[in-house]
Amino acid sequence: MNTPTSSGGVAAPAPLVVIVDDEAPVREALDSLFRSIGLQTLLFTSPAELLQATVPDSPGCLILDVRLPGISGLDLQEQLARNGIALPIVFMSGHGDIPMSVRAMKAGAVDFLPKPFRDQDMLDAVAGAIERDAQRRADNAALDDVRAHYATLTPREREVMAHVTAGLMNKQVAGLIGLSEITVKIHRGNLMRKMGVRTLADLVRQAEALGLAAAK
């Protein structure tokens, strides 16, 4: 399963629902249901077919039957996770049981629907999955932006950032790294401007997102 990188400046596509089920009537019914509310769909008969395909990189989710030809839906879930593919999954099964549903949910599935299910239950599950995926993408984009700003800092500014976000005062940082307090203030002002923040609280949140820790 490949996901092409989207280019900037392009309008966001409609959310995508990827359906994997070996029963043609189920695939066709779900395809009609999702398209009726303006969603894009991609249909596959097996995990192997999905893994060989190129899937558009847009917010969406994956609808998986638990029992599929070749590897099971649960095994596919694990394989996608190992490959770093975080598309939220809604499971469905005519043979589902409690152990299956527990395993799926512990591995990050959004929902587990027994067949037959109501259309509204499926739509609700997919809406929640798409919302989760959109939030994940927004969080990732925000983190990428923070990383890009952090990359513009000098080594000394990074050092000062690590210490001030760990709770040290300018005077303490100055004594720790062998600079004057006024020089630390200058570095602090410069790094906050480069990071695009105005308050220490915002800078601390960025440091936490970056996983920064002051050297002991």
Side-chain angles (χ1 to χ4, degrees):
M1 178 177 172
N2 301 311
T3 54
T5 303
S6 58
S7 59
V10 179
L16 174 69
V17 181
V18 180
I19 303 164
V20 185
D21 195 293
D22 59 338
E23 298 180 29
V26 174
R27 292 196 306 273
E28 293 165 1
L30 290 173
D31 179 51
S32 177
L33 176 65
F34 297 135
R35 287 186 179 277
S36 73
I37 60 170
L39 299 177
Q40 297 185 87
T41 60
L42 280 178
L43 312 181
F44 299 99
T45 62
S46 69
E49 187 179 354
L50 170 64
L51 291 171
Q52 293 171 1
T54 297
V55 176
D57 184 22
S58 60
C61 68
L62 180 59
I63 308 298
L64 272 182
D65 195 321
V66 169
R67 299 182 186 273
L68 291 165
I71 66 174
S72 71
L74 294 173
D75 291 335
L76 176 60
Q77 179 187 30
E78 294 178 356
Q79 185 170 339
L80 293 175
R82 287 195 300 270
N83 293 343
I85 298 173
L87 204 60
I89 298 174
V90 174
F91 276 103
M92 56 184 178
S93 177
H95 312 279
D97 55 23
I98 292 176
M100 277 186 178
S101 61
V102 169
R103 177 182 167 188
M105 299 303 283
K106 281 187 174 181
V110 175
D111 213 333
F112 193 102
L113 302 178
K115 296 178 182 176
F117 44 77
R118 297 187 311 127
D119 286 353
Q120 191 58 53
D121 289 338
M122 177 59 79
L123 291 174
D124 289 345
V126 166
I130 291 173
E131 182 178 355
R132 177 187 294 189
D133 193 46
Q135 184 60 57
R136 175 185 65 83
R137 290 168 181 272
D139 291 344
N140 287 346
L143 181 55
D144 287 344
D145 186 59
V146 171
R147 286 171 174 158
H149 285 293
Y150 185 71
T152 68
L153 301 186
T154 65
R156 181 64 83 184
E157 287 167 349
R158 294 182 184 186
E159 185 178 18
V160 171
M161 178 174 173
H163 287 303
V164 298
T165 56
L168 298 184
M169 303 296 289
N170 291 339
K171 184 176 181 178
Q172 293 173 303
V173 176
L176 188 62
I177 63 179
L179 297 177
S180 68
E181 185 175 354
I182 188 63
T183 300
V184 170
K185 287 181 179 179
I186 292 171
H187 283 310
R188 179 170 173 169
N190 287 340
L191 74 88
M192 290 186 70
R193 175 180 52 79
K194 290 181 180 180
M195 293 301 294
V197 297
R198 294 185 177 182
T199 69
L200 178 59
D202 287 337
L203 192 65
V204 168
R205 281 189 284 270
Q206 290 183 332
E208 290 173 347
L210 292 168
L212 299 186
K216 302 297 185 183

